[in-house]
Amino acid sequence: MSTLSKGGSSFSFVQLLQLYATYLEESPVFVPLHLDEDLEEHQIKCIESDLSPPEQVQKATECLQFSEYMVKNPKFSFYRWTIMDYSKAYTSGKITPQLVADQFVAAIRESSEPAFQMSFFIDYNIEDILKQATESTLRYERGQALSVLDGVPIAIKDEIDCLPYPTTGGTKWLHKARQCTDDACCVKRLRLCGALLVGKTNMHELGAGTSGINPHYGATRNPYDRSKVAGGSSSGSAAVVSSGLCPAALGVDGGGSVRMPAALCGVVGLKPTFGRVPQSGVLPLNWTVGMVGILAGTVEDAFIIVEVTVPEIEVMRLAHYVTIGSECSTAIACHLEKLDMAELGGDARVALSVYGAFNSREYLNAQKIRNRQMQFHKNIFAKADVIVTPTTGVTAYTLYDDALKTGELDYINGAALIRYQISGNFLGLPAVTVPVGYDKLGLPIGLQFIGRPWSEATLIHIAFAMQALCISDYKKPQVFYDLLKQD
């Protein structure tokens, strides 16, 4: 367990939280639920909740105008195809979902070869992909596309149920103890819209890390530099979008697990307000801090400012760690009793050992700090529309061969990656990351916008404006596939 030293003595961070929480008057808050508010948001169109998923997609599509401008602008050195680009290509007959699926399968095979070893997916079923693509192609031929998502390749993190695949959570055992019998709610909605669901993406084992190195299914590599990590835990979802294999993918964000890999891989990552997306069919690894999120190539596919100070940010990070660790340990406790620990990667074994050491008093102390931080942030949002931070405190770091078999424990890089992520998860706030540039090695840098509860529309407006400023300088990754190319 991590310790802090001073004057020759040492104490654990849990003791630090206990000492700090002793003087707090706030009561514990166990779930970061926020009341619906009538926010004064400008240029916002509300979509009726009783519409079908395809009808909701159509309403959202009517708000988009940016794609044509981007395609026609000759100043852009690199451009990722959007969902709208796929839809227009299919509708025009220039290409079919069947041909895209063929090119997708060929790209996945190439990316798995020894020269690449990208480890994008834990599982994909070629027969199922081609079957979906054939059905979508026939719908377009009949002029009966279900929505603009019809035939568009979308990948699903292997923490979310999606038939016909088992849900492993990045392990070799969890799918044996918990059967996948139905699609998650979010996947059902995509399927109703005709999305081409292409498989289950790789992830850090049990989501218990930030690198995306998985000793069982391979380390997902960063498309901008294969020697660097993709970030985690939604590593595969970020990498497939970055490499052009999908315009969008689903992830789960419990401690920056969508936004961190999105920033490292140079794509957009959106974590909604807690409660915005139904959690049914998602592994219950961290039920008060985790949320289904979206990774996409551009803001349109994903979804005032004064200087402010966030008090006690390090204490909040430690309280989040106690919370997410306690919830993960509790969620799988019944399975661990029967599990051969050798089936876990080395880093996951260490993480679960630490998680299991937390007690109820420490969890209660963490929830008191959650309440205190919710009040701090409420005061901040009384004078600011959003909080703007770097998405991560470090860009993608080197992936070393000795970590491939056991996983990786890198506290320094892990803490730097997660530094600016915590309030989104611990306090249930919406947040989005947008690529804004590159470091001296050409690795992506992300800028994060954190909003008040239910303000996703405002975040998307701001992120859209930032993307417009930066998109002309976006660079093509080293590993990239153009699925809309026409031979």
Side-chain angles (χ1 to χ4, degrees), residues 147-362:
S147 76
V148 296
L149 284 169
D150 205 334
V152 177
I154 305 289
I156 310 296
K157 183 182 182 181
D158 202 13
E159 195 174 334
I160 303 171
D161 287 343
C162 177
L163 297 173
Y165 306 99
T167 301
T168 74
T171 73
K172 298 293 284 187
W173 58 269
L174 187 55
H175 59 289
K176 303 172 186 175
R178 175 191 177 275
Q179 300 295 315
C180 174
T181 59
D182 196 3
D183 287 336
C185 179
C186 52
V187 174
K188 285 182 180 179
R189 293 179 179 181
L190 288 172
R191 204 182 289 277
L192 285 172
C193 293
L196 177 56
L197 304 174
V198 294
K200 305 296 286 294
T201 54
N202 204 352
M203 60 177 287
H204 205 107
E205 187 174 10
L206 292 173
T210 57
S211 68
I213 298 174
N214 188 306
H216 311 299
Y217 301 103
T220 301
R221 297 176 181 270
N222 194 311
Y224 277 90
D225 184 337
R226 293 191 314 103
S227 70
K228 306 295 184 183
V229 298
S233 62
S234 305
S235 48
S237 291
V240 295
V241 173
S242 178
S243 65
L245 288 172
C246 300
L250 294 187
V252 179
D253 194 317
S257 292
V258 162
R259 292 161 287 152
M260 283 186 291
L264 267 55
C265 291
V267 298
V268 174
L270 173 66
K271 178 222 160 283
T273 302
F274 183 87
R276 172 75 76 178
V277 179
Q279 290 292 91
S280 62
V282 180
L283 290 181
L285 296 178
N286 34 71
W287 54 87
T288 75
V289 295
M291 278 292 297
V292 172
I294 304 163
L295 300 104
T298 63
V299 172
E300 69 177 65
D301 288 340
F303 34 83
I304 294 179
I305 301 149
V306 293
E307 184 174 342
V308 298
T309 299
V310 179
E312 303 168 10
I313 193 169
E314 181 63 12
V315 173
M316 178 169 62
R317 184 179 74 82
L318 299 179
H320 168 268
Y321 186 70
V322 170
T323 301
I324 194 172
S326 298
E327 292 178 359
C328 179
S329 178
T330 301
I332 62 174
C334 61
H335 305 307
L336 291 179
E337 297 173 358
K338 312 167 189 174
L339 182 67
D340 178 359
M341 297 303 282
E343 292 190 65
L344 290 166
D347 58 341
R349 286 201 300 272
V350 172
L352 289 175
S353 177
V354 174
Y355 297 167
F358 300 144
N359 61 40
S360 58
R361 181 178 180 182
E362 291 154 0

Side-chain angles (χ1 to χ4, degrees), residues 330-459:
T330 301
I332 62 174
C334 61
H335 305 307
L336 291 179
E337 297 173 358
K338 312 167 189 174
L339 182 67
D340 178 359
M341 297 303 282
E343 292 190 65
L344 290 166
D347 58 341
R349 286 201 300 272
V350 172
L352 289 175
S353 177
V354 174
Y355 297 167
F358 300 144
N359 61 40
S360 58
R361 181 178 180 182
E362 291 154 0
Y363 187 79
L364 283 172
N365 287 338
Q367 308 323 300
K368 293 171 71 175
I369 292 167
R370 192 198 308 247
N371 189 356
R372 183 173 174 85
Q373 282 292 333
M374 289 175 77
Q375 300 309 312
F376 284 154
H377 282 71
K378 183 177 181 179
N379 293 335
I380 289 172
F381 287 124
K383 58 183 178 180
D385 289 326
V386 296
I387 299 172
V388 184
T389 73
T391 307
T392 60
V394 65
T395 53
Y397 57 90
T398 300
L399 195 167
Y400 293 104
D401 289 342
D402 60 359
L404 299 180
K405 293 182 179 180
T406 60
E408 179 183 68
L409 290 169
D410 187 335
Y411 180 80
I412 294 176
N413 278 316
L417 283 173
I418 204 171
R419 181 171 297 143
Y420 304 107
Q421 309 293 314
I422 300 305
S423 60
N425 301 103
F426 198 45
L427 311 181
L429 302 174
V432 62
T433 178
V434 181
V436 293
Y438 304 86
D439 68 8
K440 62 183 180 181
L441 297 178
L443 298 170
I445 297 171
L447 188 67
Q448 177 178 231
F449 301 95
I450 304 169
R452 57 171 62 90
W454 313 113
S455 66
E456 285 89 342
T458 293
L459 285 184

Side-chain angles (χ1 to χ4, degrees), residues 54 87 91 136 138-148 150 193:
S87 178
T91 302
S136 178
L138 291 174
R139 288 194 293 270
Y140 276 101
E141 290 176 353
R142 294 193 296 261
Q144 297 175 347
L146 297 177
S147 76
V148 296
D150 205 334
C193 293

